[in-house]
Amino acid sequence: MTAFETGDRTSNTPVAVEGPHGPVRLKWHKLRRHLTEAPFKRSNLALGWQLGASLEIDLLATADSRFAVLHDATLGPSTTGRGRVARMPIAATRGLFHRDAAGAPDPDAPVLSLTELVAPLRTLPRAPSAILQLDLKLLQGQRLPDAAIADAAAAVAGLGDAIIVGSHHLDDARRLVAAIPGARLGYDPMLAVSRQPTLRDPERLLRHIERRRLGVSLAYLRFDAILAAERQGFPLARRLLDLGIETDAWTVNPGRIGIDTILRTLMEANVRQVTTDAPGAIFAAVSF
């Protein structure tokens, strides 16, 4: 089991592990390499892009239909700001910073628009395996404005073959993917599962995804949903692969009891990607 070779020999942050069915990507959740660091660090984006990592950033539309790289609907307490993102223009986020696990603002993690965060990627060498997931967040009942789609499309113009748009909100994600030539589509059905308890049955969940599979290349599933399916003898991730859909297991971090068993089960279940805030620690915990 080895980390993939990368262009930067000074970094030991892994981008994948060898599982029993081939390589499994380790996605850097919110661009994190370590559990306690601030999210969306510019240096981690640049590093992962050059190493060939699978990277993830969250997007929220502001009041003026620009995309800010933020996870939560409110600025506090995860950033140095306050207020609801959907009610403020992008300019109101200027000068704000994301906080680390101790609450300290990180100067390497300013609150940025999507345009600002990805702009440096155009001048950096990209490893062929590098992927940038745009995790589209929408408030309940909110429809993505056409102007926000145009903003995202302009922000990532020329980078489309490295982009995958993932979301609970498949219709809006489809609209965004359609505006980004070369981009791929991912679907996270776990919000639907929370609203329809019958979807906890893995066969019903498979059928739910199958009915929506047009253009979908990746399914984002809570890792415990995959474990539950395996315990029931239903090979959910393998059945999705039969449909041409890879599975991402989210979010797996160190410190859980039985983490080595969890990871072994996920790898044997044939997930193709594991989302984590600590790729180095997860890499170290995998053993075959």
Side-chain angles (χ1 to χ4, degrees), residues 15-230:
V15 302
V17 298
E18 280 294 334
H21 304 291
V24 178
R25 299 182 298 274
L26 298 176
K27 187 176 76 183
W28 299 5
H29 184 226
K30 302 181 187 178
L31 303 182
R32 285 195 179 108
R33 297 167 59 208
H34 305 288
L35 193 59
T36 59
E37 69 182 350
F40 312 125
K41 292 177 62 134
R42 291 175 295 184
S43 59
N44 285 352
L45 176 61
L47 177 63
W49 189 254
Q50 295 172 87
L51 294 183
S54 181
L55 305 161
E56 181 224 39
I57 59 175
D58 297 298
L59 300 181
L60 281 168
T62 57
D64 51 352
S65 297
R66 298 288 305 281
F67 272 120
V69 180
L70 289 161
H71 180 272
D72 300 333
T74 58
L75 288 172
S78 60
T79 80
T80 54
R82 298 180 63 184
R84 296 188 65 81
V85 177
R87 296 177 181 173
M88 61 183 61
I90 193 69
T93 66
R94 300 281 187 267
L96 303 179
F97 295 91
H98 296 279
R99 300 181 187 272
D100 65 20
D106 188 334
D108 188 30
V111 176
L112 297 175
S113 68
L114 174 62
T115 299
E116 292 167 322
L117 184 66
V118 304
L121 298 182
R122 291 188 172 82
T123 62
L124 291 175
R126 173 201 167 201
S129 60
I131 301 169
L132 179 60
Q133 178 193 338
L134 309 181
D135 194 343
L136 178 62
K137 306 291 187 185
L138 291 174
L139 302 180
Q140 186 171 359
Q142 180 185 19
R143 186 177 185 272
L144 190 62
D146 290 341
I149 291 175
D151 176 64
V156 300
L159 305 175
D161 62 338
I163 300 296
I164 182 165
V165 178
S167 186
H168 297 298
H169 310 281
L170 189 55
D171 290 344
D172 287 285
R174 287 189 194 281
R175 293 171 58 220
L176 184 50
V177 166
I180 304 173
R184 293 184 293 145
L185 178 65
Y187 175 46
D188 185 338
M190 302 314 297
L191 179 61
V193 172
S194 71
R195 293 173 174 173
Q196 303 175 52
T198 58
L199 293 180
R200 293 173 187 164
D201 176 88
E203 190 162 4
R204 289 178 183 236
L205 178 56
L206 176 68
R207 298 293 167 248
H208 170 89
I209 298 170
E210 185 175 18
R211 289 192 295 271
R212 295 158 177 80
R213 73 181 185 276
L214 182 63
V216 173
S217 64
L218 193 61
Y220 301 97
L221 304 180
R222 281 177 56 109
F223 78 90
D224 49 358
I226 301 166
L227 298 181
E230 290 295 308

Side-chain angles (χ1 to χ4, degrees), residues 20 227 258-270 285-288:
L227 298 181
I259 186 66
D260 53 343
T261 301
I262 290 171
L263 289 166
R264 179 184 295 272
T265 302
L266 293 173
M267 303 282 172
E268 290 176 346
N270 213 349
V286 175
S287 60
F288 288 97

